[in-house]
Amino acid sequence: MSHLELSGVHKGYTDQSVLRGVDLAVSPESVTAILGPSGSGKTTLLRLVAGFDRIDQGRIRIGDTVVDDGHRCEPPERRRLGYVPQEGALFPHLTVAANVAFGLAHRRSQRARVAELLEMVGLAGLDRRYPDQLSGGQQQRVALARALAVEPTLVLLDEPFSALDASLRASLRAEVRDILRRAGATTVLVTHDQDEALSLADQVAVLRDGHIVQHASPHDLYARPVDPELARFLGDANILDAALDGVRASTVLGSLALAGPPTPVPGPGRAQVLVRPEQVEVALTESRTPMPATEPAPAAGVVVDADFHGHYTMLRVRLVAPTGGTALADLVLVRHEDLVPLAPGTAVWLSVRGEVAAWAPAASPSAPVGDLGDQP
C-alpha cells in the first residue's frame, strides 16, 4: 500500500475559496480521518484525491507518483483507488457477487477473489442476493468489498455510515476498522462525526475553513486540542480561566497540572485551560463517602441538574465560594458514572484528575466554564 501526501493544496469554485494551502501526510496501511463541520472542505479534499476535481495550486502525491500538480492530472481510473460513497451506490440489478466483481471483469481469478472478499467482510453465502435484500450495514460492507477488490493503493470513504441508524453505525465502524486492518489498506475517511473519527482512525486531521488546524492521534487531539474552539467541537468541555506559573494552572477548580507537548504550554501569566467532564471527580460533602484529603483542596459546589444517559449522568454543578457558601457564576460539567443519583441541590466536592491543556488568552474569546451559555 502507498502513502498519500498533499502539499500546499488550494481549491476554489468561482469566487469562493474552499481549500487554502492544505498539507497532509497519510502513512501506508493506516486510517486517517478528515474531520470537520459542513462546509469546511472535506468532500472537496476527497474529490481532489480521487481525481474527480483538479487542484488550483499545490501537489498531490500517491506513493511515488504525483497525480496532480495543478498542471498535469492523472485521471481517476489510473490512480488505483477504492472509493466508498455515502450510501454504497451498489448496482441494484446486479447480485452481491457481481457488484464486488464489477472492477474484476477481465481477471481469471474473479470468482475466488469475490469469495475471499465476501468472507473478509462477513458476507459469505450472500453472493446471490440483490442489494434490496440486504440491510443497510450489509450494503456498506458489499461496497467496501467492491472497493478492495482491485487491490487499491488507497481507499477513500466518504461519510460511509451517515445513512445508518446510531446503533448500527457503532457496530459497523468496529467491523470496518478490522476489515481495513486485515486488508492492510491505506485509508482516508471523511466525516463530520467526532465519535466516528476518534474511534475508527489512527490519525485525525481537523479541517476548518479550508485549513487543517490540527493533525494528531485521537487521544492527543481530544486531550490536547490546539484551541478552545476545537476542544468544544470534539466534545463536552469546561474552559477555565487560569493563571499559569509554567508548571501548574491556578483555576476555580484548584491548582491543575499542565499537559506538555504536542500542544505547547503558554508562558507564565493569564491563560485558559481545558478540563473534560470525565476528568472531574465528585464526592458528597456530607455522606458516608466523604472526599478524602487531597492536594490541592477540592472545590465546593451544588448540583444544578442531572442529565441521565444510562451508563453515566452528566451533572451541571454551580461552584460556591470557599467561605460563606456564596454561589459563584461558574458552572462545571461533570460526567458522573456512579449509579447513585445526585439530585439537584446536593452539595458536592469537585477535584480534577490528570493533566490539562492550556492556551494563551488570544487563542479564543473568553468562554463561560463548561461552555454552557446563558443558564439560570
Side-chain angles (χ1 to χ4, degrees):
M1 291 295 174
S2 299
H3 69 279
L4 168 69
E5 180 183 316
L6 282 74
S7 303
V9 169
H10 291 255
K11 180 63 180 179
Y13 300 99
T14 61
D15 60 348
Q16 180 183 9
S17 179
V18 180
L19 298 178
R20 306 177 182 91
V22 171
D23 295 312
L24 177 68
V26 176
S27 301
E29 300 187 19
S30 68
V31 178
T32 292
I34 310 299
L35 174 66
S38 298
S40 60
K42 305 184 304 297
T43 298
T44 296
L45 188 151
L46 202 70
R47 289 181 61 83
L48 294 175
V49 173
F52 302 152
D53 291 327
R54 300 187 61 172
I55 67 175
D56 296 333
Q57 181 181 336
R59 183 182 65 198
I60 299 177
R61 181 188 298 272
I62 299 176
D64 296 326
T65 303
V66 175
V67 295
D68 195 350
D69 62 4
H71 304 286
R72 179 179 174 275
C73 181
E74 291 282 350
E77 64 272 17
R78 296 183 60 182
R79 297 191 185 193
R80 285 193 59 204
L81 302 176
Y83 181 73
V84 180
Q86 287 189 20
E87 298 183 12
L90 300 179
F91 298 110
H93 63 292
L94 298 181
T95 64
V96 165
N99 265 283
V100 174
F102 185 76
L104 301 174
H106 303 294
R107 294 196 178 191
R108 296 179 181 178
S109 57
Q110 179 186 108
R111 183 174 299 179
R113 179 62 174 160
V114 169
E116 175 190 356
L117 288 164
L118 291 180
E119 179 73 29
M120 179 184 292
V121 300
L123 296 178
L126 301 185
D127 53 310
R128 297 186 180 182
R129 291 193 183 182
Y130 287 86
D132 63 358
Q133 297 175 309
L134 303 177
S135 69
Q138 288 173 327
Q139 290 181 30
Q140 284 301 86
R141 281 185 279 170
V142 173
L144 181 59
R146 183 177 62 186
L148 294 171
V150 294
E151 300 182 56
T153 57
L154 190 65
V155 176
L156 306 179
L157 306 179
D158 186 5
E159 302 267 11
F161 313 113
S162 61
L164 307 176
D165 62 66
S167 60
L168 182 56
R169 282 202 303 268
S171 61
L172 188 59
R173 283 200 302 260
E175 293 176 15
V176 168
R177 181 184 60 227
D178 292 341
I179 291 167
L180 292 171
R181 287 178 177 170
R182 279 187 279 126
T186 305
T187 305
V188 176
L189 161 74
V190 159
T191 182
H192 66 275
D193 187 315
Q194 297 90 332
D195 290 340
E196 189 173 292
L198 296 175
S199 64
L200 184 59
D202 302 304
Q203 294 283 310
V204 180
V206 180
L207 196 60
R208 182 202 296 160
D209 298 328
H211 300 277
I212 290 181
V213 294
Q214 189 170 1
H215 183 196
S217 70
H219 177 271
D220 285 339
L221 193 73
Y222 184 77
R224 301 180 179 91
V226 294
D227 57 36
E229 182 181 349
L230 181 53
R232 297 185 189 101
F233 177 68
L234 293 171
D236 294 312
N238 295 296
I239 308 298
L240 310 179
D241 290 328
L244 306 187
D245 64 9
V247 179
R248 302 188 70 84
S250 177
T251 74
V252 291
L253 291 180
S255 177
L256 311 180
L258 294 174
T263 304
V265 176
R270 301 302 301 175
Q272 291 179 311
V273 298
L274 166 65
V275 178
R276 293 291 184 189
E278 59 271 21
Q279 290 183 264
V280 184
E281 296 184 329
V282 182
L284 303 182
T285 58
E286 297 178 0
S287 74
R288 59 185 179 277
T289 57
M291 171 67 75
T294 61
E295 180 60 39
V302 176
V303 175
V304 174
D305 59 31
D307 189 7
F308 182 64
H309 292 266
H311 56 293
Y312 74 91
T313 300
M314 188 66 78
L315 306 175
R316 287 191 309 143
V317 178
R318 187 180 299 282
L319 299 181
V320 299
T323 58
T326 304
L328 302 176
D330 299 304
L331 284 164
V332 177
L333 284 174
V334 181
R335 181 167 173 151
H336 182 56
E337 298 187 354
D338 197 314
L339 294 179
V340 178
L342 296 180
T346 303
V348 294
W349 292 116
L350 301 182
S351 62
V352 177
R353 178 180 63 251
E355 298 177 329
V356 298
W359 313 281
S364 174
S366 181
V369 174
D371 190 29
L372 296 171
D374 296 331
Q375 299 294 347

